[in-house]
Amino acid sequence: MPELPEVEVTRRGLAPHLEGHAVRAVVLRRNGLRWPFPPDLAQLLAGRTIGRTGRRGKYLLIGFEHGTLIIHLGMSGHLRMLAPGTEAQKHDHFDLEVDGPEGRRILRMTDPRRFGAVLWHGAEEGAVDNHILLRRLGVEPLEAPFSGQLLYRQSRKRSAAIKQVLMGGDLVVGVGNIYCSESLFQAGINPKTPANRIGLVRYERLASAIRLVLGAAILQGGSTLRDFIGVDGESGYFQQSYFVYDRAGVPCRVCGAPVRQIKQGQRSTFYCVNCQT
């Protein structure tokens, strides 16, 4: 599944092609993905000018004066900017045709497993943060409110393993499986440690590690996932920097001990028993 860095890389790639440009048409090739497409989406967007693009957790936000288009890439989705007339393939479900800086272009969503979403939140419904899918999300890990102090304060009554707490999404958003394993390694924290048994100093270290790992992943174009590519069709290369993720049995880059793999919440966790205590 594309995680926060992949979605942010997508947003940054799309912004110059979308922001300030008018929508010519909307093409829907099925009734919906995880949820139905808004039935009047073409009428809502045709002729309208796109404002700013944004991101909330793993949700991409395309702003208009009268509302916000919300896109989620699901398990296998990606977005690309294509030349007009590019033939649609089997899993191409949604097109947004825009008058971009280089002439007409197509923003196309491809989603083989159809767990993604294209939704609309009208301005009359209030701020987009009030949308049912966004209203309970935690703080953004790359913005000022996120800190070790916040993690410490909000974890005092949470006895679940720290990796599960981080991935829950209600405390901090976007720290998915890959980057959670990498951040815990950088902070030297065992992923099985109960959240309420971690002290303030270690949480400060963890918050710094999360920002460092996510920032580095964004700069490197995200990770090359099975179904994810960037807007320009290029793959990311952060996976070349993994310390533990997907390296079960391989010597730790720091101490040389074999990296271990366990299951937590039906997801694979990778860690070093020597470096993470």
Side-chain angles (χ1 to χ4, degrees):
M1 173 188 292
E3 299 185 16
L4 184 153
E6 288 76 46
V7 179
E8 180 61 19
V9 166
T10 297
R11 187 201 69 77
R12 294 183 185 187
L14 291 176
H17 299 283
L18 300 182
E19 293 179 353
H21 302 294
V23 174
R24 289 176 60 108
V26 175
V27 177
L28 305 175
R29 297 188 179 85
R30 57 182 308 109
N31 294 328
L33 298 172
R34 185 172 184 179
W35 296 288
F37 290 136
D40 55 349
L41 193 60
Q43 291 74 25
L44 279 168
L45 300 185
R48 297 283 189 159
T49 298
I50 299 170
R52 298 195 60 171
T53 60
R55 179 191 51 75
R56 185 70 174 98
K58 300 177 185 180
Y59 292 90
L60 178 69
L61 309 177
I62 300 177
F64 294 82
E65 185 178 358
H66 64 311
T68 304
L69 189 66
I70 302 173
I71 298 178
H72 194 279
L73 299 178
M75 297 292 293
S76 59
H78 63 265
L79 296 166
R80 291 170 296 157
M81 296 301 304
L82 302 171
T86 302
E87 185 176 352
Q89 303 301 313
K90 178 179 179 181
H91 300 300
D92 295 339
H93 306 304
F94 166 75
D95 285 358
L96 190 71
E97 297 185 16
V98 298
D99 288 318
E102 301 173 350
R104 186 162 65 96
R105 300 283 285 175
I106 298 173
L107 169 62
R108 177 164 291 167
M109 182 173 181
T110 303
D111 186 5
R113 298 180 67 182
R114 304 202 303 273
F115 281 110
V118 176
L119 304 170
W120 176 254
H121 182 83
E124 71 278 3
E125 300 176 76
V128 69
D129 283 346
N130 293 329
H131 189 277
I132 189 170
L133 295 175
L134 307 181
R135 66 178 62 151
R136 291 187 175 87
L137 294 180
V139 300
E140 289 285 337
L142 298 178
E143 295 183 1
F146 178 68
S147 67
Q149 180 67 246
L150 180 142
L151 291 176
Y152 176 77
R153 186 173 62 251
Q154 296 294 325
S155 64
R156 294 308 83 197
K157 295 182 180 181
R158 301 180 185 233
S159 59
I162 181 58
K163 182 165 183 279
Q164 297 303 99
V165 170
L166 290 176
M167 291 184 59
D170 60 327
L171 178 55
V172 57
V173 296
V175 188
N177 199 35
I178 294 173
Y179 303 107
C180 193
S181 288
E182 291 296 305
S183 298
L184 287 168
F185 175 82
Q186 294 288 352
I189 297 174
N190 189 301
K192 297 183 290 184
T193 305
N196 58 6
R197 293 184 61 184
I198 299 173
L200 177 58
V201 172
R202 300 185 85 198
Y203 268 124
E204 293 284 6
R205 194 160 67 233
L206 178 58
S208 295
I210 289 171
R211 285 192 291 266
L212 177 67
V213 167
L214 293 178
I218 291 169
L219 288 176
Q220 295 178 55
S223 296
T224 299
L225 309 175
R226 183 178 64 180
D227 297 296
F228 176 79
I229 57 173
V231 172
D232 56 3
E234 297 296 322
S235 299
Y237 55 95
F238 185 72
Q239 69 278 358
Q240 298 174 12
S241 304
Y242 290 166
F243 277 85
V244 289
Y245 185 80
D246 203 26
R247 300 187 73 243
V250 177
C252 171
R253 297 185 191 274
V254 174
C255 72
V259 173
R260 291 192 181 180
Q261 178 180 3
I262 59 173
K263 288 286 187 180
Q264 289 183 293
Q266 299 182 339
R267 303 295 298 276
S268 290
T269 294
F270 301 87
Y271 72 107
C272 174
V273 292
N274 288 347
C275 296
Q276 297 173 252
T277 58

